[in-house]
Amino acid sequence: MEPMNPKTTLVLLHPDQRVGANMQRWRQLGGGKAIILAVRSPAAILEQVKQAELRGLGGSGFPAWKKWEAVAAETPKPDKYLVVNGNEDEPGTFKDRLLLEETPHQVIEGAVTTALAVGANRVVFYVNPDLSRSLAAMRIALEQWKSSDLVELASTALGRPLELLLAPGSGHYIGGEETAAMEWIEGRFPFPRGKPPYPAQSGIKGCPTLINNVETLAYVSHIAVHGAQWFRDLGKAPGLGTKLYSLSGDVLHPGVYELPKGTSLRELIFDHGGGLLSGKPLKAVFTGGPSSTLLTPADLDVALDFESLKARGSNLGTGAMIVVSEGTGIVKRVAEYERFFAHSSCGQCTSCKTGTATISRLLDRIDTGRGTMSDLNTLKNLCAMLPGSGRCHLVNGAAMLLDSAFGHFNDEFVQAVAKSGRS
Ligand SMILES: Cc1cc2nc3c(=O)[nH]c(=O)nc-3n(C[C@H](O)[C@H](O)[C@H](O)COP(=O)(O)O)c2cc1C
C-alpha cells in the first residue's frame, strides 16, 4: 500500500477503501482478501493481531488480542457474538462515523475476519442512531455482503450461518459503554452491567461476546493481508501502526487525520491542522475526547501514542483532540463538558449521578460569578473521591478532566471565585 502523500501513510483512509457502499468497486480494488485468509487459518489472524500489538481505539487502549483469546477459548452458548461499537457520541470524536459512512466494506471485512478468528457466528454493527449517513451506507453494504460469496465462505468455515445484524443504538452516550451496549441490543435501557461476569464469558443473552471499536476492527483486514510487521513499521516507533485523530476546535483545518502513531501533537495541529485560527497562541488541548486530561503548549512535542501520553499522565483515548486558543476561558469550557457528563450519567450509581451533577452545578456557579472557595474545595475533594466509584468509567472521565483542569489552570478557577466577592 503506497503512501498517498509524503506527509501521510494512509491505511484506513486510503482511497481504495473510500468507495462508500460500492462493493463491486471495493472488490476490484482488492477488498475481501482477508476473509479468504481467515477462512484458511483463523488462528493465524489472532496471532498476527497479537504480534501487531493492536490496541482498542474506543478509549481504553486495551490490547485487542487479550479479549480475542478469551472469547476464542469459549464455547458458543448457543451463539457467540461480536459487537462492532459505533456508538461514538463523545464531544469532539467523529472518526468512526467517517469509517462507517465512507468505508463500510472495510469495517465489515475487519469484523468478519475477527468473527472468524474468535469463532463468532453473530456480528452486530451497533451504530449511533443520529449518524444517518453511516447507517444508510452500512444498510446497503450489509445487504451486499449477505448475498456474497464471502459470507458463504465464512459460514462454511464456521460450520453454521454467519449472521450480520445492524442495530441502531439508543442515542445515549452511556450506550457506548460495552455492557450498556449489550443491554440495549437485548432490548433494554442501556444501563451498564456490573462485572464480572465479563462479556467474553457472558455477554449478549449470556453468550460469549467480543466487543471492539469500529476503528480497532477496521485495521484487522490490513494486518491479516499485509502482516503484523508491516503494521508495526507504519508507526514512528516500532509496534505503533497508524491512528485516526479527530481534530477540532480553534484550528484552521479541522477534520479526521490518519497519521503514524508517535507523530507529535505539534505536527498534528500545525502541519496537518494548519495551526490555530487567526494565528492565536495555543492554550490547551482536550485529549481523547474531554473524558481525559488537558495538554498544554509544554506538551506540543509529545509523541501521540499510548505510552508517551501515559507517561505524561494523559491518555490517547479515541484520538480526539479539541484545540483551545488563548482567550478562551477554561472554566467555561470545563463547565460545558461537565454538564455533558452530568446529563449523560445513567443514574444507576449514586456517586456518578450526584457526583457529576454536583460538579456541574458548582462549576456553573463559579463560571457565572457566584462561586466560593468552599465550592472550589468541594470540587477538589470530588476529584479525589469519585474515581473508581461507578460501575463504568463515566464518572472517572468527569473527575479526570476536572482534576487536570485544576492542575494546569488553577489560577483561572481562583480568579473566577475572587470576582464573585464571596470567597
Ligand atoms: C461512558 C462510556 C461511553 C463509551 N462509548 C464508546 C463508544 O461510543 N465507542 C466505543 O468504541 N467505545 C466506547 N466506550 C468504551 C467501551 O466500553 C469499550 O471499552 C470499547 O468499545 C472496547 O473496544 P476497543 O477495545 O476496541 O476500544 C465507552 C465507555 C464509556 C465508559
Side-chain angles (χ1 to χ4, degrees), residues 249-268:
D250 303 337
V251 280
L252 212 51
H253 305 301
V256 180
Y257 293 90
E258 179 174 12
L259 300 172
K261 274 214 221 81
T263 297
S264 71
L265 182 62
R266 186 188 297 281
E267 270 179 85
L268 173 63

Side-chain angles (χ1 to χ4, degrees), residues 72-250:
E74 294 289 323
T75 15
K77 297 176 195 161
D79 296 306
K80 206 186 263 195
Y81 283 84
L82 166 65
V83 177
V84 182
N85 194 345
N87 195 65
E88 196 171 63
D89 204 30
E90 185 150 341
T93 307
F94 43 86
K95 60 184 179 79
D96 296 336
R97 68 192 300 168
L98 182 77
L99 293 177
L100 293 163
E101 185 182 327
E102 294 194 10
T103 75
H105 293 299
Q106 170 174 247
V107 175
I108 299 169
E109 187 181 28
V112 173
T113 306
T114 305
L116 285 162
V118 301
N121 60 309
R122 287 194 167 165
V123 182
V124 183
F125 295 85
Y126 176 69
V127 178
N128 185 322
D130 299 326
L131 302 179
S132 50
R133 287 199 283 196
S134 302
L135 276 168
M138 287 301 290
R139 239 178 229 120
I140 299 169
L142 283 168
E143 284 314 309
Q144 293 168 344
W145 272 74
K146 283 178 195 168
S147 54
S148 78
D149 57 321
L150 296 176
V151 165
E152 213 175 295
L153 275 174
S155 300
T156 309
L158 284 165
R160 58 204 308 204
L162 172 72
E163 292 176 56
L164 303 179
L165 311 149
L166 183 62
S170 59
H172 295 278
Y173 168 59
I174 193 72
E177 194 280 336
E178 57 187 20
T179 58
M182 289 168 198
E183 285 289 297
W184 177 257
I185 292 166
E186 284 186 32
R188 290 184 291 278
F189 185 86
F191 283 122
R193 297 175 183 171
K195 293 182 209 163
Y198 290 95
Q201 285 77 44
S202 178
I204 297 176
K205 297 181 185 164
C207 302
T209 302
L210 173 66
I211 180 161
N212 273 125
N213 171 256
V214 166
E215 184 189 354
T216 314
L217 292 169
Y219 278 112
V220 171
S221 61
H222 302 284
I223 293 171
V225 171
H226 301 288
Q229 193 58 47
W230 163 86
F231 181 73
R232 296 173 64 86
D233 290 345
L234 291 173
K236 291 218 168 176
L240 297 178
T242 64
K243 168 84 192 87
L244 298 188
Y245 297 96
S246 311
L247 182 67
S248 67
D250 303 337

Side-chain angles (χ1 to χ4, degrees), residues 362 365-366 370-377 417 420 422-423:
L362 296 183
R365 205 148 82 184
I366 293 170
R370 296 171 293 126
T372 63
M373 283 311 284
S374 157
D375 292 339
L376 267 189
N377 290 335
V417 167
S420 74
R422 301 185 186 198
S423 49

Side-chain angles (χ1 to χ4, degrees), residues 338-396:
E338 293 295 351
R339 202 174 304 132
F340 168 79
F341 290 125
H343 175 76
S344 301
S345 172
C346 74
Q348 207 181 189
C349 307
T350 310
S351 64
C352 178
K353 181 182 173 183
T354 58
T356 55
T358 306
I359 290 176
S360 177
R361 184 168 51 79
L362 296 183
L363 278 179
D364 275 342
R365 205 148 82 184
I366 293 170
D367 181 43
T368 50
R370 296 171 293 126
T372 63
M373 283 311 284
S374 157
D375 292 339
L376 267 189
N377 290 335
T378 305
L379 285 169
K380 286 178 184 175
N381 283 337
L382 285 171
C383 286
M385 284 160 54
L386 291 177
S389 64
R391 268 191 177 185
C392 79
H393 286 285
L394 189 143
V395 71
N396 302 353

Side-chain angles (χ1 to χ4, degrees), residues 44-68:
I45 304 290
L46 207 159
E47 188 54 31
Q48 289 289 339
V49 164
K50 188 172 181 175
Q51 296 303 327
E53 294 186 60
L54 179 67
R55 295 177 64 162
L57 303 168
S60 70
F62 192 77
W65 67 269
K66 285 194 184 169
K67 286 201 292 197
W68 286 32

